[in-house]
Amino acid sequence: MVRTGKKLLLICTAALVTCITAPAFAENLPLTTNLCAGQNQNVGTVSVTDNGTTLWVTYTITAPGWFITETHAHAAASLDGFPLAGGGNPVPGNFAQKASHNPGVTTFTHSFTPKPDGATLLVAAHAVVERLEGDGAGTIVDQQDPIITVIPGPGASGNPADAIPFDFVSPSFYSLGFGGELIAQYNCPLVSAPPLVDLAIWEHSATVPPIETALISVSTDGVTWTDLTSITGSSEAGNTVDTATHAGPPHWPTFFDGGIAGARFVRVRDTSPFDATGNGFDLEAIKSQQSCTGVSVEEQTAWGAACAGGGGTRFNARGNWATYITYTVQH
């Protein structure tokens, strides 16, 4: 299914590209299989594990450009424990666990507490996944909220959502930590048409020093990156810009013009000298312009273990391709 037109993606705020905190699996080894979109495209993984009282089902996208907008999970000792329609096909909307994701996410975990009884469980993991396509040549729009991926470094602090909004009425920021990074994934390509400002990044520091630096990179697919430049925040007390454009201490802006046509991903990676009392580059805001005409959204249904080699079983060999996993309880 393909939908055309502009699609706004809001902010995913949790670290390590997840919108909830995934469990620490301790010594348990999860059963991992594929997440299959459109019956034959492997876009990620589904992992199942337990600790005796809770069962976890984790979805993870691994294919660049894809994200999850809905998840539905169910577990039972037999097919009799599933909500089934006529012909034995499952009804994901009636599964025990379900969630809508706006913004889209690249990983999510459903928790079953208490864990269903049984030494062996049948687990169904259903999702709706989307991918953005098109060159975006056309209408220029201002800042749009991206999907956020965060890999925090030592000392990271704050809320990643505070690193993106272009709003200095109530200044806030996210500290990347030393060596940490934040990736903003936009639904439309960034504009590359000087003298328009394609990208502007603000660093927040109230004092000088410390010196806080970051490397800015862009990508069209989130896999191959082009480094733009390294930027410095509070290295110079005189680093000021017109206050009409949100300038001056403690806001330290860097502007980029042109040279990034087609990029949908912006990465800010801390390169600050380590300071045991610090927390790395303080990302206060990213402002960008995108071109959204000509961008389409491909939407697919996905099931865990449904692609070749996944080891799944269809609910109904003559019905739809809905699939479940057989999981052996570890505790």
Side-chain angles (χ1 to χ4, degrees):
M1 173 181 178
V2 176
R3 299 201 309 267
T4 58
K6 183 170 72 174
K7 179 180 181 64
L8 298 180
L9 301 182
L10 302 179
I11 298 174
C12 177
T13 60
L16 297 175
V17 296
T18 181
C19 287
I20 67 172
T21 301
F25 293 122
E27 297 180 356
N28 295 348
L29 296 177
L31 169 66
T32 300
T33 184
N34 54 53
L35 178 62
C36 189
Q39 302 191 50
N40 56 21
Q41 184 170 3
N42 186 351
V43 297
T45 62
V46 171
S47 296
V48 184
T49 195
D50 76 280
N51 67 355
T53 58
T54 299
L55 180 79
W56 293 284
V57 178
T58 298
Y59 304 71
T60 303
I61 292 292
T62 58
W66 289 89
F67 54 92
I68 303 168
T69 59
E70 297 179 32
T71 49
H72 307 85
H74 198 89
S78 69
L79 291 179
D80 292 339
F82 280 80
L84 302 176
N89 294 316
V91 183
N94 292 335
F95 280 5
Q97 297 283 336
K98 51 191 173 182
S100 296
H101 309 286
N102 183 12
V105 297
T106 52
T107 189
F108 190 80
T109 298
H110 281 297
S111 302
F112 295 80
T113 304
K115 174 183 64 63
D117 292 333
T120 300
L121 296 175
L122 308 182
V123 180
H126 170 268
V128 176
V129 295
E130 293 186 356
R131 180 176 62 177
L132 299 163
E133 297 180 319
D135 60 10
T139 305
I140 296 173
V141 298
D142 287 329
Q143 173 79 30
Q144 295 190 23
D145 293 328
I147 296 174
I148 296 176
T149 300
V150 176
I151 303 178
S157 64
N159 186 339
D162 293 335
I164 296 299
F166 185 65
D167 181 6
F168 294 96
V169 175
S170 301
S172 56
F173 57 90
Y174 173 70
S175 299
L176 299 178
F178 293 98
E181 66 181 48
L182 180 145
I183 296 174
Q185 176 185 346
Y186 294 91
N187 63 323
C188 303
L190 301 181
V191 175
S192 182
L196 296 176
V197 174
D198 303 300
L199 183 65
I201 293 178
W202 274 260
E203 194 270 349
H204 181 99
S205 286
T207 61
V208 180
I211 296 175
E212 296 173 346
T213 61
L215 176 64
I216 310 302
S217 309
V218 294
S219 174
T220 60
D221 58 8
V223 176
T224 302
W225 293 89
T226 298
D227 295 337
L228 296 183
T229 187
S230 293
I231 64 175
T232 300
S234 54
S235 62
E236 299 179 16
N239 184 2
T240 61
V241 182
D242 185 352
T243 54
T245 58
H246 304 294
H251 312 299
W252 307 92
T254 301
F255 300 97
F256 304 89
D257 289 329
I260 50 176
R264 286 198 180 101
F265 297 79
V266 177
R267 182 176 67 191
V268 183
R269 176 178 289 169
D270 175 78
T271 55
S272 305
F274 181 75
D275 179 349
T277 63
N279 51 17
F281 192 85
D282 300 321
L283 181 58
E284 184 175 11
I286 297 177
K287 181 174 174 58
S288 62
Q289 291 181 308
Q290 294 92 33
S291 183
C292 283
T293 302
V295 174
S296 65
V297 179
E298 177 184 357
E299 182 179 88
Q300 297 282 357
T301 295
W303 287 92
C307 282
T313 303
R314 289 196 175 189
F315 281 88
N316 185 342
R318 297 184 178 181
N320 61 36
W321 59 290
T323 308
Y324 62 84
I325 308 162
T326 301
Y327 173 72
T328 301
V329 174
Q330 299 185 48
H331 294 277

